[in-house]
Amino acid sequence: MAASDVGTVQERGTALPILITRVAICIFAVSQTMLSPLITQIGAAFGLGLGGSGFLFTAYYISNIFFCLVTGRIIAVIGKRTAMKAGLIFYALVTFAFAHTHSFAIACVFISCMGALATFIEAVGMDLVDDMSPVDAASNLTMTHGIAGIGMVGGVVYSGLMLNAGYDWRTIYTMMSVAVGAVAVVFCVVRFPKMHQSAAGGLAELKHWFTRRELYPTYLALFLYVGAEGAVTGWMATFMTTTLGYSSLLASLGTAAIWTVVTVGRIVCAGLVGTRYTVRALVSFLCTVCVIGVLLTAGVTMPILFWVALLLVGAGLSALWPLIASTALDAGNNGGTVMSLILFFGYFGAAVIPYLIGLIGDAAGLRMALIASAIVFAALGLVVRFVMPRSVSEKRTQG
């Protein structure tokens, strides 16, 4: 059989499994963004202000900090497809439980489990797609990231539409749990091809890359970026409703606009073969765009300028994560272990910074909270420009 014929057979045999896996990855993306329009309503249900409500962001991401380090080992022990089945089933169960709890402490436990399982689904799903795409893996993974971006947009739009239709947050999460359960059933039914077993990885290797001092500035940059991104996108819908007086639907669409530009920007950047610009120059430029965009959202009074500012924020965010993460991946010869650390420091930032921004919003208003987020982006630009080693930050970008 010719090579092209083999490729055709592979594509026919994996098209449906890849599709359902990508749908599962969308669940991870929806989970990350649907909380933003609901955060104040959930907090109010437990009698909390912005600071207390903001702890839900911390609870969602805190377990991810540690879970992303053991995901590879879990996959190696039970297998990828079994891991995805378990992840989807447990995600459906804890989402349903979160929607029906009346204790804030227990709600934090359940949403923490949701965050960990969403990350688990993302990691396993990316691994599955990679294994099932031997002919054109890079293209397939790029498309998978694009679909995840669609899920990011879909999460805030879903919450906004449901709120606008009069549903409360409990119903919204209950319906989400039913949808995930349906995906889990389909995933269990679809026949998957045989796939190779993953290497388990070890703590010694993880410790080795954790202690590489030349990577510390990159880890710090990831902490600042993911935290600032979570703060801006997480609190933007609340800012639009409570401070600017927008409806919950328009506020959700505002956050969706940011994620739409981020998604398009990342796909465009993924298609670039190479440029004359260095990582340091590009990250500095994008951080500047973020600072300007966030400050404008906090300060402008004309609606048209505000919406332009939202698009600027999305444009600035678009390529920051892949550019910064690539500097760590280029320095390591074990992508899986280094990627775990990339996720570790990113989720650490996501667990800490949005909560702190919420406290600032509680004490001084959400305009000041957004200004504080802009300061974090400015700090990120300074870290990349002056702290990150020149051998890393002056690396030429490549697609």
Side-chain angles (χ1 to χ4, degrees):
M1 184 181 290
S4 59
D5 294 332
V6 173
T8 302
V9 171
Q10 288 173 330
E11 290 173 3
R12 287 175 180 172
T14 59
L16 185 57
I18 287 176
L19 175 61
I20 191 61
T21 303
R22 285 174 171 167
V23 171
I25 292 172
C26 267
I27 289 170
F28 140 79
V30 169
S31 170
Q32 283 206 326
T33 58
M34 68 181 288
L35 177 61
S36 176
L38 305 174
I39 188 74
T40 53
Q41 189 183 98
I42 298 173
F46 295 103
L48 303 173
L50 292 180
S53 302
F55 188 75
L56 289 169
F57 289 123
T58 300
Y60 182 89
Y61 286 108
I62 194 70
S63 58
N64 296 5
I65 295 173
F66 304 102
F67 207 77
C68 62
L69 301 179
V70 300
T71 295
R73 190 61 180 267
I74 294 173
I75 294 172
V77 172
I78 68 175
K80 299 168 188 175
R81 192 178 175 217
T82 300
M84 181 64 91
K85 289 178 186 177
L88 289 169
I89 291 170
F90 280 113
Y91 183 90
L93 292 174
V94 298
T95 302
F96 185 85
F98 172 72
H100 292 83
T101 186
H102 294 279
S103 165
F104 183 68
I106 296 175
C108 287
V109 172
F110 284 135
I111 201 170
S112 183
C113 291
M114 287 167 58
L117 289 166
T119 300
F120 186 72
I121 289 168
E122 176 199 19
V124 177
M126 293 295 182
D127 204 355
L128 280 170
V129 171
D130 186 39
D131 277 354
M132 292 187 292
S133 309
V135 177
D136 193 9
S139 175
N140 275 283
L141 284 175
T142 300
M143 180 59 70
T144 302
H145 278 284
I147 292 173
I150 294 172
M152 294 285 189
V153 176
V156 288
V157 172
Y158 164 65
S159 291
L161 288 174
M162 294 293 285
L163 285 173
N164 191 61
Y167 294 98
D168 68 354
W169 69 272
R170 295 185 186 278
T171 303
I172 293 170
Y173 271 101
T174 299
M175 294 179 69
M176 178 67 176
S177 71
V178 173
V180 177
V183 173
V185 170
V186 175
F187 193 90
C188 291
V189 171
V190 170
R191 184 176 180 180
F192 278 66
K194 291 184 178 179
M195 287 166 282
H196 65 79
Q197 189 76 1
S198 295
L203 291 176
E205 185 179 38
L206 194 64
K207 180 181 178 181
H208 167 72
W209 291 108
F210 187 88
T211 55
R212 288 280 295 270
R213 292 187 177 183
E214 69 271 21
L215 293 178
Y216 287 177
T218 300
Y219 294 151
L220 174 59
L222 288 164
F223 170 85
L224 293 172
Y225 168 73
V226 179
E229 177 201 84
V232 170
T233 59
W235 287 113
M236 187 58 71
T238 304
F239 173 70
M240 291 179 68
T241 54
T242 62
T243 304
L244 301 183
Y246 284 95
S247 68
S248 58
L249 178 59
L250 281 176
S252 299
L253 292 177
T255 309
I258 294 176
W259 283 114
T260 300
V261 177
V262 169
T263 300
V264 173
R266 284 180 179 172
I267 292 175
V268 169
C269 289
L272 297 176
V273 177
T275 74
R276 64 180 182 275
Y277 302 107
T278 64
V279 168
R280 185 171 67 172
L282 282 173
V283 171
S284 297
F285 172 74
L286 292 174
C287 284
T288 302
V289 173
C290 280
V291 170
I292 293 172
V294 174
L295 289 177
L296 284 175
T297 61
V300 297
T301 55
M302 292 180 59
I304 185 65
L305 289 181
F306 175 79
W307 287 88
V308 170
L310 287 180
L311 299 182
L312 278 177
V313 172
L317 294 176
S318 61
L320 279 175
W321 190 91
L323 284 173
I324 297 169
S326 70
T327 63
L329 290 172
D330 286 345
N333 57 13
N334 188 308
T337 301
V338 176
M339 179 57 74
S340 294
L341 289 171
I342 287 172
L343 294 174
F344 175 88
F345 284 98
Y347 285 131
F348 186 30
V352 173
I353 294 177
Y355 174 61
L356 296 178
I357 295 299
L359 292 178
I360 293 173
D362 226 1
L366 282 173
R367 289 188 189 276
M368 287 302 301
L370 286 177
I371 292 171
S373 300
I375 292 172
V376 177
F377 279 117
L380 169 62
L382 293 175
V383 167
V384 173
R385 188 166 185 83
F386 298 108
V387 181
M388 190 175 288
R390 286 181 175 270
S391 59
V392 172
S393 61
E394 292 189 350
K395 177 180 72 70
R396 300 289 170 178
T397 59
Q398 294 180 349

